[in-house]
Amino acid sequence: MLKDITIGQYYPTNSIIHKLDPRVKIIFTFVFMVSLFIVNTFSAYIFVVGMLAAVIVLSKVPFSYILRGVKAIIYLLLFTFVLNVLFTNGGKIYFEYGIIKITQDGLNLGFFMLIRLLLLIIGASMLTLVTTPIQLTDALENMLSPFKKMGLPSHELAMMMTIALRFIPTLLDETDKIMKAQMARGADFESKNIINRAKSMIPLLVPLFISAFRRADELAMAMESRCYHGGEGRTRLKQIKYVQRDYIALAILFFYLIISVLIRNYKIL
C-alpha cells in the first residue's frame, strides 16, 4: 500500500510535457486546481477530465502507474463521499431511516467532492511525475524571486519544499522496511481491531522519527561539507528559459481557463 503512493516521485521518459519549462507546469497545476472549483456541473467536468487526459497521454506516463496513487487513498475518497451524502439535506429523498437520510442534493455533492478530490490528487501527482526535484527548486525560486525585496527567503523556501517532496518516497520506503522487520518479529499491522492496529503503530512511529531526524542531520552535514551557504551568488548548471513550446502551452492554458469561466457563468455545458 505504501509503495502505491506516487506523489513526490519522478517518472523519467522523453515526452513533450517533460520538456516543458517547470514554471509552465507549476502554473498549469495551479490553474487546473482552481478550475476544479470553478466548474459546477457534471458535464463541465467532462471538459476538465478531457484536458487532464490529454496531458497524461502527452506525458507518456502509464495510466496504471498514476492509478497507483489513487489506490492509496481510496478509503479517504469513499469516506468523503459517504460523509457528504449522509450530512447534506435537500431535494428528493431516496432513503430515510432514523437520522440517516440520503437525498438528491447529498448524492450530487458527494459525487462532486469525489470527482474533485480524485482529479486534484491526479493533477498534483502529475507535477512531480513529469518534473525533477532540481527543476522544481529552480522554478519555485524563480517564481518567488520578485518577493525577495520584501524579505522573503525565496531560495530557502523553494529548497525546503523540494526536499520535503523528495523525501516522501524515501520515508515511505523506510516505513515499509520497518513494518516488514517488525512483522517478522510478530507485529500485527493488518488486524481488523482498530485499537490493536493503533497500538501496533506506536513502535513503528518511534524508529521512523529517529530515521527521519538522522537523514535530516546527514543531509545538513553533506550540504555544509560542500560549502552550501544558501542561494546568494549561486549559479545553475542549466538555466531555465521559455521557448516556443512553452508559449504555446501557456496559450492553451489561457483558453482552458477562459472556457472554464464561461462554462460556469453562462452554463455552456
Side-chain angles (χ1 to χ4, degrees), residues 17 28 32 35-36 39 42-58 63 115 119 122 252 256 260 263 269:
I17 302 297
F28 174 85
F32 178 76
S35 70
L36 291 177
V39 296
F42 286 110
S43 54
Y45 272 102
I46 296 175
F47 170 70
V48 177
V49 170
M51 183 66 174
L52 182 60
V55 172
I56 293 173
V57 171
L58 291 173
F63 190 64
I115 294 171
L119 295 177
I122 293 176
I252 294 172
Y256 166 77
S260 298
I263 288 173
L269 293 178

Side-chain angles (χ1 to χ4, degrees), residues 230-251:
E232 196 66 34
R234 289 177 63 85
T235 58
R236 298 184 179 90
L237 178 63
K238 294 182 179 179
Q239 298 292 331
I240 54 175
K241 59 181 180 180
Y242 292 112
V243 294
Q244 185 179 11
R245 60 172 173 264
D246 299 314
Y247 291 114
I248 294 173
L250 287 173

Side-chain angles (χ1 to χ4, degrees), residues 92-110:
K92 184 179 178 181
I93 299 175
Y94 294 109
F95 177 81
E96 186 174 6
Y97 182 78
I99 62 172
I100 299 175
K101 185 185 294 184
I102 298 177
T103 64
Q104 183 179 5
D105 288 354
L107 287 172
N108 288 340
L109 184 61

